[in-house]
Amino acid sequence: MNDAIDMPGGPACWMVAVGFLAGIAVLAVRLERVQIDSAADSRRRMAVQSERRVQTDAPRGRIIARDGSVIAGNRASVSIAVNAESFQKRTWSDTAAGIREAIDAASAVVGRPSPVTDRDIMRHLKQTLARPLVVWRDVGPDELARFSEHELDLPGFAVVEREERVYPNGRLAAHLVGYVGRDRAESVAGDEAFRYCDMEMRGRSGVEYYYDGYLRGVPGERRLLVDARGFAHDETTIVEAKRGPDLELALDLGVQSAAEAQLEGHKGACVVMDAATGEVLAFASAPAYDPNEFVPVLRKAVYEGLSKDPAKPLLNRASGGTYAPGSTFKPITALAAVHSGISPSFTYECIGYYQCGKMKIRCSRTWGHGPENVMTALRDSCNPYFCYLGTAAGTNAVVSAARAFGLGSGTGLDFPTDAAGVVPDDAWKRDRYGERWFPGDLAQMSMGQGMLLATPLQMARVAGALGTGLLATPRLIAGMAPELKPLPFTERELGAVREGMRMVVAGGTGKKGAENVDAWVIGKTGTAEVGAGATRRKNTWFIAYAETCEHGADGRPRRAAFPERRIAVAMVVENGESGGGTTAPKVCEVLKSVFGTLGPEPSEAGKEDA
Amino acid sequence: MDVLRRVNWVQVAAMLLLVAIGTTCIWSAGNAREAAFHGMWKANLRTAALGLAIYAALAWADYRKVLQWVSLPAYAGALVLLVAVLALGSEIYGGRRWLWFFQPSEISKLCIIAFLAQVFGMKEPPAWLRSVGGFGLGCALFGIPALLVLMEPDLGTALALAPAFLVMLLAGRVWRRGITALLVAGALGAAALLGAVHEAERPGVTPERREAILRHVPLKPHQLKRVKTFLYPDTDPAGAGYTIRQAMIAIGSGGFAGRGIGKGETNSLKYLPPSISMNDFIFCVYAEETGFVGSLVLLSLFATLCVSCAWIAWGAADLRGRLFALGFATLLFAHVYVNVGMSVGLLPITGLPLPFISSGRTFLLTVMAGLGITQSISIHKEEET
């Protein structure tokens, strides 16, 4: 080796080498800190800048009727969208111009100009750059075929599918089912967590609204990788969206159609309820609307047309329309009186009117019914009898009987609209009108007029309770545990009222309410007068309770010991003639849809009997 | 063959591995990008092939002859080119560094070291060369080109050359007091500079006071910004601090084993623009894709390469060879240390390439030429002069 004794720099060689190793060691230690100790932090910061979480819409559960047919389902809706990353230019305006050009070129292929404006494109670039921009929504099969044929010539365009709500039965049960709208989704996991959320379907009314959380399902998650400018780079599905479960309603489409057919051309409502369980079998409100018009978005013109229609098709009359119950309230007055100690055979002579102070309340038969008891008064719907009976029982008795039947408060229906109605008393009247309770008010209330208000749903419940002695909480969902509350009346008291109501359909005011129905039926008519002078009109009611019957030797329905089905019906028709004339025959048809029709022979026997 | 026995194979192996890693890195960084970058690895490989030819030629040739005949014209030529680039160079990113297709400052690094080795390693040096006179000469020979480089401005090159210069003076036994004075002055200067910027940019300092302090700091605005970003890395994450922030995120998210070759997001998602992700900040791309393991492998290869040069210096036949090998090793090491150091936030950002890994072709050829001369020192160590 060269050991030139004199040659300098020997120590420098190993000093430098040691220095190199020391320097590398310093770097290694630093790298250990950056790459090992703060790796998780760096990954997080990387994710914050390059990852965008996208909440994806879950398909909505279907709404199904009792027989399994679909009332609210989903259909695939195809859209054509454009992805901005295929048009990246140095400036945003050049990028936007490129997209515009591509959309115009694609319009020629699809055969429909796109509603996307230049402003939409700029807004998309600023706000939702990493997501596809929908150019044509709800593309038809022809347009899709033309697009697919030229798809290779249209880089950057893609077909996007999503599910839209569809109501196969159109108007049928529209108010019950409700409708959906699309809205900016609420981020499930906090505000920052999701950068983009699909517009999600949300129930806006009816069952769609009430059971929205159940139907909605669990949103999925996708992760977008974006580059430094924000363009999408890659996309992966992290969590698949979970379809919402189907909701099975108690609704019986046969009964529902029958009820709606009867209300066709009228304004009114009909509720049919299983009196034993509270399950709602029909829930009709007329006029109705087609909920399909609300999907995917409710157009302003459609909404204005519906909301300005004087017939108020958007109003849900079944549980949101409050009407004076009229004479259908009389069984309650009767129960209040009987319960307060008045005998059902108590006789009062109807002379055609009832004098209450200066007020004269007229009876439907101007010359009077003559002597009446509770049963015959129900049969004849005699006003003076019930004015007298109610007055004799007193305000407290009538009010508490009305409340025992669930009037004056919501029914507890699993539904957004559940009007309470009004059961007036002294305190209510003072609060509302600043006026004390007069005997005339009690007389009016005793025959279901005055300030008393109830919904068809409430009255169906009343009918059911009169039949079974149990007040059922109405339910829209099939198979829920029934909630039944016993009425504070004895079987004997109820029996007297049932006898009266049986006489109503057997030959009284409501004899058209149960003609040829293969069931044991009791009912009550009601003709409530509303307004005064020129706006004076009549809302006509019929409520009925019917149960499966046995047939006697003559073939006539006879009450069974253990009836299989117990049904309550309430129907109101606005601006009718009379409860017995207008509404009772309609209810009769609804009852037939449940129980069927009796053969011709018994019907003749029935007529002879009447 | 005797020659083959004298070849420093460790250096050859380390160099070839580094060329392989560098090409892979550029291939990966380019592939994740637009089509224009896809072929860059081929260009790098071609340059490396040319570099290998130069390396072999210089290794084969006797370094003494090369230094004797080439170093002076090379040095003079470098000075001419450095002046020329200031006058004629094309301006890119606010600096004049490019003359036609190459960067004179890269070549000048090698020329300066070669000429310093030739001067201070002469066989029978006059006495003045080891004392004040020699110190002054050295300062002049280093200072003039360094000043020209600084005017480009290319602070990084000047800073990378300084340690090599000092090591060469030290090994050449030139006037110790002068070297000590230079070291002390350098340390004090750096401390004063950092202190002044630290004080001026401290949050809550009034603009007047900031102005008053910075008037005495001899830094260009962009350099000042870099020092400030180094001292206060979190002040401006979208502006001046953006690059270093992204660099740290990239390196850190590599973790222990890395994301895998070609899977680094910093590069593919353009969080570091290609102008730097393939050059001065390529270590970030590499570290993200290969993790701590890959970083250690790379650093070990650089350590091997630098130490092998020091080993060659130790065994050199004469002072000329020893000085060149030491100077070149230090230059190489300075590049590695400054480049990796700035990427991990140990040093302010300076535009220095990482040898073999960055895509600069002038520098790759310069480094391979320097290694070739070093190899020649190893091969020709037992021959008589």
Side-chain angles (χ1 to χ4, degrees), chain A residues 443-478:
Chain A
Q444 291 274 8
M445 182 165 74
S446 299
M447 48 180 235
Q449 295 271 162
M451 293 160 282
L452 195 66
L453 290 173
T455 64
L457 175 68
Q458 283 177 321
M459 290 317 289
R461 208 177 166 214
V462 166
L466 285 167
T468 63
L470 300 166
L471 186 68
T473 303
R475 299 269 189 246
L476 294 176
I477 304 304

Side-chain angles (χ1 to χ4, degrees), chain B residues 326-382:
Chain B
L326 274 183
F328 185 73
T330 311
L331 178 79
L332 207 58
F333 177 77
H335 275 82
V336 173
Y337 191 81
V338 171
N339 183 286
V340 176
M342 79 169 180
S343 298
V344 296
L346 276 180
L347 295 169
I349 293 177
T350 28
L352 266 192
L354 187 61
F356 297 104
I357 314 295
S358 293
S359 67
R361 288 192 252 175
T362 321
F363 186 58
L364 181 58
L365 290 178
T366 306
V367 169
M368 292 183 86
L371 285 174
I373 297 174
T374 315
Q375 188 64 271
S376 166
I377 294 164
S378 180
I379 290 172
H380 297 96
K381 62 189 167 192
E382 282 169 15

Side-chain angles (χ1 to χ4, degrees), chain A residues 257-535:
Chain A
S257 323
E260 291 195 11
Q262 292 307 313
L263 288 170
E264 186 67 50
H266 295 277
K267 288 184 279 180
C270 178
V271 174
V272 182
M273 212 174 99
D274 185 322
T277 61
E279 288 184 353
V280 174
L281 303 180
F283 190 92
S285 176
Y289 54 86
D290 185 353
N292 288 311
E293 291 185 339
F294 290 66
V295 179
V297 277
L298 179 55
R299 285 190 308 279
K300 210 178 167 198
V302 173
Y303 182 75
E304 282 186 352
L306 287 171
S307 60
K308 283 180 182 158
D309 187 335
K312 295 189 182 164
L314 289 175
L315 173 66
N316 177 4
R317 291 170 160 87
S319 64
T322 54
Y323 302 87
S327 303
T328 57
F329 186 75
K330 285 174 182 165
I332 296 175
T333 309
L335 272 171
V338 173
H339 190 64
S340 65
I342 298 168
S343 165
S345 56
F346 163 79
T347 309
Y348 172 84
E349 189 170 343
C350 168
I351 53 166
Y353 62 89
Y354 177 77
Q355 192 72 40
C356 179
K358 285 178 199 163
M359 189 167 64
K360 205 179 211 178
I361 296 170
R362 300 199 166 275
C363 192
S364 51
R365 189 188 270 184
T366 42
W367 59 91
H369 288 104
E372 295 265 36
N373 62 26
V374 168
M375 284 73 76
T376 56
L378 281 171
R379 179 194 64 200
D380 301 333
S381 201
C382 176
N383 284 345
Y385 184 87
F386 281 99
C387 290
Y388 181 84
L389 199 65
T391 309
T395 305
N396 287 347
V398 176
V399 164
S400 60
R403 297 220 165 113
F405 276 96
L407 299 183
S409 56
T411 61
L413 180 70
D414 43 347
F415 195 70
T417 315
D418 186 15
V422 176
V423 174
D425 60 5
D426 186 46
W428 183 87
K429 199 185 169 196
R430 281 175 193 278
D431 185 50
R432 183 67 187 265
Y433 297 107
E435 209 180 300
R436 76 179 182 84
W437 184 254
F438 293 108
D441 295 322
L442 177 56
Q444 291 274 8
M445 182 165 74
S446 299
M447 48 180 235
Q449 295 271 162
M451 293 160 282
L452 195 66
L453 290 173
T455 64
L457 175 68
Q458 283 177 321
M459 290 317 289
R461 208 177 166 214
V462 166
L466 285 167
T468 63
L470 300 166
L471 186 68
T473 303
R475 299 269 189 246
L476 294 176
I477 304 304
M480 274 171 93
E483 202 178 295
L484 302 165
K485 208 172 84 191
L487 292 174
F489 305 109
T490 65
E491 261 314 293
R492 199 186 62 83
E493 292 159 2
L494 284 164
V497 172
R498 279 180 202 140
E499 197 188 325
M501 288 174 72
R502 179 66 187 153
M503 285 157 76
V504 170
V505 295
T509 53
K511 58 174 181 273
K512 291 181 185 162
E515 269 180 343
N516 301 339
V517 175
D518 188 9
W520 185 81
V521 184
I522 60 173
K524 183 70 195 81
T525 56
T527 310
E529 296 188 356
V530 284
T535 61

Side-chain angles (χ1 to χ4, degrees), chain B residues 110-143:
Chain B
L110 190 60
C111 301
I112 293 166
I113 285 170
F115 191 55
L116 285 173
Q118 170 68 18
V119 170
F120 289 96
M122 64 174 66
K123 229 176 166 197
E124 277 146 10
W128 61 267
L129 199 66
R130 296 264 158 91
S131 67
V132 190
F135 180 73
L137 178 67
C139 284
L141 291 180
F142 168 74

